Amino acid sequence: MTKDVIALTPKMPDTRSLLAGLHAGGPELSLTATDDGAVIQLCTAAGRPLVSVEAPLLVHVPGEAERLLGPQVTAPEPPFWWTETRASTAAPEAESLAGSVCGRLTMLLGGTTWPPGAAHTARVAVPDDATHDEQTPTPPGTPDDDRTETAAPVLPAVDVLTDSTAVLIADRPLVPLTAWFSDILRTTARTNRALHLVTPPHVRLTLPLRTALSGAPNRWVIQNPAGGYYDGLSGAQLTWQGGTFTPTGSTAADAFTAAATPAEERQLTVSFRTVHAADSDLVLGRALEAAWQHLTGTPPAGWGTAEPVNLPWSPRQLTDLARDRAPAPTHLIAVGTPGRPAIATHRITRTTAGVAQDTTLTLGYTTPTEVPLDTLESLAATLIDKHGLTTMLTTLRNARADLTLPAHLEAPSLPVSFTLGPRDTRAIGLTHARRPPLATKPQQLGTPSYPALHYPLGNGTDPQAWTALQNLASHLKNSPGVANSA
């Protein structure tokens, strides 16, 4: 059963309604908040965390509730308010308390709750801390041979905290990269801890969360029905030792390799970088918008810094946020319209060359024939002519068309094409760059005085495309122009 309960309301949760929800456990519970006020915790008088409540989020983007919670959810028409609660797995009464918080909000404001049936309005009796076992309980789903302390308020609603690792336990069909999850990731990195997300095998991740968890030392840990644990991204078998999950061998768990993705479904991923001079008239996000329009026929539907993506698409608002955060980098997420699976992560950084934008746009297709491989060269030309493209890599793989990540083995991505922008083509030397050790010659794009090159590598079905890409990279790296500049 999930420990997360979400209230979707057409009206803003004001102070009165929030207080009504937060008093679901009675006035003896205390309230704490993170430094920025983004998360409020309901705690026992002794400070034991029970429920965390994220700041309500106004969602303008159609289809976000259905994308993250499933098609059966009956969300209000956008814009609506999304208030997410999370119950501590270390306290048996916490889940009912989270349901009462959300039930009271929807009673006062209208709307609905997720999951169905979780909400109620009854007061939840919370035992005194003295009635609990003095030794900190181990939350369900984690081993009981290494007792650990529960999280301090600096890590809201973390289930297990050790000197090296913060453990989160989730059991909802799809786990997104929420603002709360992003805050936990930043805090664990700042305190030199790993973040390990523990879930049952049926749970899936959104692509933004999968990207966030893919770098060491973070892990997605799966409770193996046959016993033990395995890594949800690699299949490596894991054990709980010394306050963290560590690999036990080189073989993948059978549960990871047994399941399969539907054979016809595909994911097309376009990863590209653009660089522009930093000036007051620069509007960011235009290259992402152009790529989205080129591949889907429509611009992105919305953008935000976490999931659910809540803001209508606006390059100017995106630019304002990046300027406010500069010189620190800005990480963003963009989503498409309902019925056209597409999602992108977008990173904006200041470099010595200007403002760099790194975009990874992924689109889902139910059949291979839907994939628009014939439009990639013209997409590259558009990004070169109008958006300062430096590089673009396109890959294709057999994976879920809904762009979620299951905890089982999926086919690797296979290169389809690579594009080298005019700046790097000039640095390498056009003569050398246009003569790679490939079966197909590159297409020259851009202008005759400032050319770029587009290299076809395959149709997404031949594993040898990786060898072709490696040979191309080696050829470009070993050019006379690169050697002389070094």
Side-chain angles (χ1 to χ4, degrees):
M1 181 178 296
T2 182
K3 300 298 180 182
D4 300 338
V5 185
I6 300 167
L8 307 173
T9 60
K11 298 180 181 179
M12 182 180 72
D14 55 11
T15 303
R16 172 175 166 268
S17 56
L18 282 173
L19 286 175
L22 293 172
H23 280 91
E28 61 271 15
L29 295 184
S30 63
L31 300 179
T32 63
T34 55
D35 292 341
D36 59 1
V39 178
I40 298 174
Q41 281 190 287
L42 281 170
C43 305
T44 64
R48 184 167 58 92
L50 296 173
V51 172
S52 66
V53 183
E54 291 191 36
L57 187 68
L58 183 60
V59 178
H60 292 268
V61 182
E64 271 300 90
E66 292 79 5
R67 180 176 76 88
L68 298 178
L69 303 179
Q72 75 282 356
V73 69
T74 54
E77 286 296 315
F80 61 87
W81 292 88
W82 178 300
T83 306
E84 185 149 346
T85 67
R86 185 173 195 273
S88 168
T89 54
E93 60 278 355
E95 185 174 359
S96 181
L97 183 58
S100 184
V101 170
C102 289
R104 292 176 179 220
L105 288 178
T106 54
M107 178 188 68
L108 294 170
L109 305 172
T112 188
T113 57
W114 179 93
H120 61 93
T121 59
R123 178 178 170 179
V124 178
V126 179
D128 294 336
D129 284 274
T131 65
H132 286 264
D133 190 91
E134 292 183 359
Q135 190 178 31
T136 301
T138 301
T142 55
D144 58 7
D145 60 341
D146 237 339
R147 293 285 181 175
T148 58
E149 59 186 70
T150 51
V154 70
L155 288 168
V158 166
D159 295 294
V160 174
L161 186 68
T162 72
D163 290 340
S164 65
T165 305
V167 177
L168 303 178
I169 301 170
D171 186 2
R172 56 195 280 182
L174 183 64
V175 183
L177 182 61
T178 65
W180 164 78
F181 211 117
S182 296
D183 184 60
I184 296 295
L185 280 165
R186 287 190 295 270
T187 304
T188 52
R190 191 168 59 246
T191 58
N192 295 316
R193 286 184 172 93
L195 178 60
H196 290 179
L197 172 66
V198 180
T199 75
H202 67 267
V203 171
R204 292 169 286 119
L205 306 185
T206 64
L207 284 181
L209 181 54
R210 182 253 188 269
T211 301
L213 287 176
S214 60
N218 301 326
R219 285 189 186 279
W220 180 21
V221 180
I222 307 302
Q223 299 168 247
N224 194 335
Y229 303 85
Y230 62 91
D231 190 296
L233 301 181
S234 69
Q237 299 184 68
L238 305 172
T239 188
W240 178 257
Q241 184 176 9
T244 193
F245 286 98
T246 58
T248 60
S250 58
T251 59
D254 291 341
F256 181 77
T257 57
T261 298
E264 293 295 298
E265 298 188 13
R266 295 291 185 272
Q267 287 181 12
L268 178 70
T269 299
V270 184
S271 302
F272 58 92
R273 164 173 271 216
T274 62
V275 177
H276 293 275
D279 61 60
S280 58
D281 295 328
L282 177 62
V283 178
L284 304 173
R286 293 297 193 196
L288 169 59
E289 182 179 75
W292 210 296
Q293 182 83 39
H294 192 93
L295 293 170
T296 71
T298 63
W303 72 283
T305 57
E307 296 177 290
V309 172
N310 66 312
L311 299 171
W313 177 249
S314 171
R316 292 198 175 275
Q317 290 183 359
L318 182 157
T319 302
D320 290 341
L321 176 66
R323 283 181 175 151
D324 289 343
R325 293 186 172 185
T330 297
H331 298 262
L332 305 171
I333 301 169
V335 295
T337 55
R340 172 61 277 170
I343 192 166
T345 55
H346 190 68
R347 186 173 189 264
I348 303 165
T349 53
R350 290 295 300 269
T351 70
T352 55
V355 180
Q357 299 178 80
D358 292 284
T359 302
T360 300
L361 168 60
T362 303
L363 305 99
Y365 303 92
T366 55
T367 64
T369 57
E370 297 179 60
V371 184
L373 295 182
D374 57 344
T375 67
L376 296 179
E377 184 179 324
S378 58
L379 170 60
T382 297
L383 296 179
I384 288 166
D385 294 341
K386 300 179 180 180
H387 300 285
L389 182 75
T390 61
T391 58
M392 184 176 84
L393 174 65
T394 305
T395 61
L396 185 67
R397 70 178 186 136
N398 173 210
R400 293 177 62 106
D402 64 6
L403 305 182
T404 63
L405 183 80
H408 63 69
L409 181 65
E410 289 190 310
S413 298
L414 296 174
V416 173
S417 64
F418 177 76
T419 305
L420 190 68
R423 186 189 65 180
D424 290 344
T425 299
R426 173 176 289 182
I428 291 169
L430 178 61
T431 301
H432 182 84
R434 68 191 305 175
R435 296 176 179 173
L438 301 177
T440 304
K441 293 182 179 180
Q443 299 297 313
Q444 185 168 317
L445 305 176
T447 64
S449 61
Y450 202 41
L453 292 170
H454 178 74
Y455 302 87
L457 299 172
N459 62 3
T461 61
D462 185 2
Q464 292 302 312
W466 276 117
T467 302
L469 180 61
Q470 291 169 354
N471 291 338
L472 172 62
S474 178
H475 175 76
L476 297 177
K477 183 179 179 180
N478 294 324
S479 73
V482 172
N484 291 335
S485 64

